[in-house]
Structure formats: C-alpha cells, structure tokens
Amino acid sequence: MNLARRAGAELVGTAFLVMAVIGSGIAASRLSPHDVGLQLLENSLVTGAALVALILALQPVSAAFNPVVTLVERALDMITTREVLALVPAQLVGGVVGAVVANLMFGLDAVSLSTHERTGGGLWLGEVVATLGLVMVIFGSVRTGRVETIAYAVGGYITAAYWFTSSTSFANPAVTVARMFSDTFAGIAPASVPSFVLMQLIGGALALAMVRLLYPRPREARA
C-alpha cells in the first residue's frame, strides 16, 4: 500500500485521538467542575470510544497512532525501517495538530504549554504498566490471527487503564508530546514528558519480550 496514504492515515488518526483526549478533558472540566472522578470517567469513556471508531475506520490503511506500537511492529519484522521513518513523524505531527484543534474548538489559545506536572516513581511505573499492557493487547490479537478484535480490545483496555494505572495511561509518545501543548485537564508539563516517553519505551520493550514468549509464531488472520 502507498506509504504516503498510510502516513496520512496515521496523521489523521492520531490527530483525532488527541482531539478526543484533550477535547473531552476540557468538556469534562467545564461540565463537572467540582468532581475530578467524574471528569476522569467522562475523559476515559470518550477516549476509549474514539479509539474503537478510529481503528475500525482506518485499520484497512494504517491505525497504530502510536510510535511504540510502530517500533514494535518493526522489531517483529512486520514493517520496514523506511516505513517507521515515515509513520512515526506523521503520528507526532498529527498529535500536535490534534492538540491545537482541540484548544481552538473550546475557545482557547491554539497553543498553551501545560503546567500540569506529572512526576514520581509511581506515575513512571504506571506508564510502564500501561504501555506494556497496551502493546500486549494489540499484538496478542495480531499474533493469534484476530485482527478484527483489535479496535474493541484497545478501546476497552485504554478505558480501563485510565483508572487502574496511576498515570491515567498515556501509553503513547505522540499523544504525550501533544498533550504538553494544552494547559487543560489532560495536559502534561513539558518537563514531565521525557520521563513519560522513556517509561513508555521501556514498557514497549518489555511487551515485545512478552509477546515473543507467549506468541512465538504468528497465525494467519481470520477473515
């Protein structure tokens, strides 16, 4: 398939994912200003639902929306280095576009650097766990030939991981970078981004080892 089309799908999909994360965070903070738990519930449900829809729509072209997932695909020889060099920048650009559009939709400045610091051992461990689980869910489905289940598995997992991980499951370097450009409920301070991304890469590497252990030989996808 044309690599430009695939990169375009990754850009668009990541942009809409970030719009869902940031936009629903802004809406939740305005609709439920005094209940952080309800805000998180609203944010998680919208994000999970958006993921299901986006993956279903774009999976026939390309629907990783996540540099860690793309890097694991490369490690498993599912894609080439040339493809990685096209898809990862598209995901990063798409994420930033999504953040800008989300800010503008809600009448905010196009870019406002977040002041929401997210740091500490518990949060970093949460990002390792969140990313490990996400990658395992994706490639567990892929390696057992059940690619038609990925959208629902990912949407369900991320909705749950918002709650059972201390970091609220960013689990995506492109989304993490994008969220620093919105000083809102879903934002993350620039100084907190490098540690989060590092933990996501560690989680991805651990997941890669787990996938190879649990699913040593991929099966053909079922129709």
Side-chain angles (χ1 to χ4, degrees), residues 24-102:
S24 64
I26 297 170
S29 64
R30 293 181 180 180
L31 294 170
S32 311
H34 306 300
D35 191 334
V36 177
L38 184 55
Q39 291 173 16
L40 185 62
L41 178 62
E42 293 160 348
N43 196 204
S44 64
L45 290 176
V46 170
T47 302
L51 271 168
V52 172
L54 291 168
I55 294 171
L56 285 174
L58 294 173
Q59 193 175 35
V61 184
S62 187
F65 316 145
N66 188 331
V68 170
V69 174
T70 300
L71 289 172
V72 172
E73 287 180 313
R74 177 66 190 94
L76 294 173
D77 291 323
M78 297 171 63
I79 59 175
T80 66
T81 299
R82 177 172 173 268
E83 290 171 305
V84 172
L85 294 176
L87 300 180
V88 169
Q91 293 160 353
L92 292 168
V93 171
V96 174
V97 170
V100 170
V101 173

Side-chain angles (χ1 to χ4, degrees), residues 165-198:
T165 65
S166 56
S167 63
T168 66
S169 185
F170 282 49
N172 184 328
V175 172
T176 304
V177 169
R179 286 169 69 166
M180 75 179 180
F181 293 107
S182 185
D183 191 18
T184 58
F185 177 80
I188 179 172
S192 302
V193 169
S195 296
F196 263 55
V197 171
L198 176 60

Side-chain angles (χ1 to χ4, degrees), residues 35 102-103 113 123 156 207:
D35 191 334
N103 288 335
L113 291 181
L123 294 186

Side-chain angles (χ1 to χ4, degrees), residues 116-203:
H116 190 170
E117 293 188 5
R118 300 175 189 261
T119 187
L123 294 186
W124 296 334
L125 177 59
E127 272 304 284
V128 172
V129 171
T131 311
L132 190 159
L134 174 62
V135 174
M136 183 181 66
V137 163
I138 293 170
F139 290 95
S141 298
V142 171
R143 301 279 277 193
T144 55
R146 296 173 299 143
V147 295
E148 73 281 358
T149 68
I150 291 174
Y152 307 103
V154 170
Y157 175 81
I158 289 297
T159 301
Y162 260 70
W163 290 89
F164 76 75
T165 65
S166 56
S167 63
T168 66
S169 185
F170 282 49
N172 184 328
V175 172
T176 304
V177 169
R179 286 169 69 166
M180 75 179 180
F181 293 107
S182 185
D183 191 18
T184 58
F185 177 80
I188 179 172
S192 302
V193 169
S195 296
F196 263 55
V197 171
L198 176 60
M199 295 304 109
Q200 291 157 5
L201 293 172
I202 291 172

